[in-house]
Amino acid sequence: MKFEYWRNIVVGLLDIAIVVYLVVAMTVLNQPQEKATVCTEVNIHIADEQTNGLLNAVEVKRLLERQRLYPLAQPLQFVNTRQIEDTLSRNPFVAKVECYKTQNGHVCVSLTQRQPVLHIITSQGEQYYVDENGDILPHTRLAGNLLVATGAISRQYAKKRLAPIACQIQSDRLWCEQTEQLNVLPDGTLELVPRVGDHIVYLGAPRDIPQKLERLRKFYKYGLCHAGWNRYERISVEFDNQIICKKRQS
């Protein structure tokens, strides 16, 4: 009787041991062998890289190489994805970054970059960018097809006044294509330099811009199209319900 009792216990323990072994073996087999795997490829993806972006994959690679964090040919167990994320997050042009490893030996870096909406060139010679949130970005290289603002511009004015106006212009197809430059006068009022037409548009104080642009849109459609785009040298939409034009002298 005792023999049967102990045999059942032994058989039960063996069954448990076999089950534990199988679970551990399957877990180990299903895990990537990080220690035996090196990074064979680095995939860098940058959202909106082609639309006024100030970063590209080559620059990200160089940045990681300078910090000795570029993971290619490195053992995966030594690739610190958190350190890569922290390093890239300190770049002023990076809004969000994610880095992870895959089972086939790849390291993936996914970036969302800050998108500048305005290139500021002050009358004192200072240059920088402003993004859609009004954040200041350092000037490194020219971004293609970016609206330029010149003149007596403080950083506070750029962040609070010009950034929303730039977003308004960018969101409208006509003004995005027609507006070449904004110019800030010493008294803080605004001029708009169009791409088509040899005239200056005076916007006045930086407020009620959507309404002013709507008046200008109607004047373009019903006035200049018939009178001629170069008839006036200055068009003012500063005041409500009126447009004041100064004829070009012959």
Side-chain angles (χ1 to χ4, degrees):
M1 198 71 175
K2 286 185 177 181
F3 176 77
E4 290 292 332
Y5 172 76
W6 286 109
R7 188 182 70 173
N8 291 337
I9 291 178
V10 171
V11 171
L13 292 174
L14 287 174
D15 289 341
I16 293 173
I18 291 172
V19 171
V20 172
Y21 170 79
L22 291 174
V23 170
V24 172
M26 292 297 295
T27 302
V28 171
L29 288 173
N30 287 328
Q31 287 181 342
Q33 301 299 311
E34 241 187 36
K35 292 184 178 180
T37 305
V38 298
C39 174
T40 57
E41 187 173 325
V42 181
N43 298 315
I44 299 174
H45 172 71
I46 302 177
D48 301 323
E49 183 176 352
Q50 304 303 321
T51 56
N52 286 339
L54 296 173
L55 282 176
N56 57 47
V58 173
E59 291 170 339
V60 173
K61 177 184 176 183
R62 289 173 180 167
L63 192 156
L64 293 176
E65 287 176 337
R66 286 196 298 268
Q67 300 298 321
R68 298 183 179 179
L69 292 175
Y70 193 67
L72 188 64
Q74 299 297 318
L76 283 183
Q77 64 173 327
F78 297 132
V79 176
N80 190 329
T81 56
R82 176 61 64 85
Q83 191 176 5
I84 290 175
E85 290 176 348
D86 291 343
T87 298
L88 294 177
S89 295
R90 289 194 291 270
N91 187 289
F93 302 120
V94 174
K96 185 179 178 181
V97 58
E98 181 182 8
C99 180
Y100 58 92
K101 295 177 270 189
T102 67
Q103 293 186 8
N104 60 352
H106 293 184
V107 173
C108 301
V109 180
S110 180
L111 286 173
T112 301
Q113 60 181 327
R114 301 184 189 279
Q115 290 293 335
V117 295
L118 199 57
H119 178 194
I120 304 291
I121 306 175
T122 73
S123 53
Q124 289 76 34
E126 185 182 13
Q127 292 195 53
Y128 52 88
Y129 300 115
V130 179
D131 71 5
E132 59 187 357
N133 299 315
D135 293 328
I136 302 296
L137 307 178
H139 178 262
T140 56
R141 59 184 175 85
L142 293 179
N145 300 320
L146 198 61
L147 180 62
V148 176
T150 59
I153 306 172
S154 67
R155 293 203 167 203
Q156 190 69 8
Y157 188 98
K159 294 169 65 173
K160 299 296 184 182
R161 299 294 187 179
L162 292 181
I165 294 173
C167 290
Q168 171 71 29
I169 290 173
Q170 192 177 64
S171 66
D172 188 292
R173 182 176 178 181
L174 170 63
W175 301 122
C176 186
E177 295 177 352
Q178 172 68 349
T179 307
E180 181 174 8
Q181 180 181 333
L182 295 173
N183 185 50
V184 181
L185 301 176
D187 62 356
T189 57
L190 274 174
E191 293 177 334
L192 182 151
V193 181
R195 295 184 187 276
V196 179
D198 189 15
H199 58 266
I200 297 295
V201 177
Y202 183 65
L203 298 174
R207 59 175 179 265
D208 302 325
I209 297 300
Q211 294 86 342
K212 293 175 180 179
L213 290 179
E214 186 58 29
R215 288 202 300 277
L216 183 60
R217 184 198 305 270
K218 292 178 180 178
F219 182 68
Y220 276 176
K221 183 176 180 179
Y222 301 109
L224 284 192
C225 284
H226 301 286
W229 284 87
N230 297 323
R231 182 174 182 177
Y232 303 107
E233 66 178 41
R234 187 175 179 84
I235 300 170
S236 174
V237 292
E238 177 184 13
F239 303 110
D240 292 342
N241 302 318
Q242 61 179 305
I243 296 176
I244 301 173
C245 300
K246 180 181 179 181
K247 280 187 178 182
R248 184 175 304 281
Q249 295 182 358
S250 58

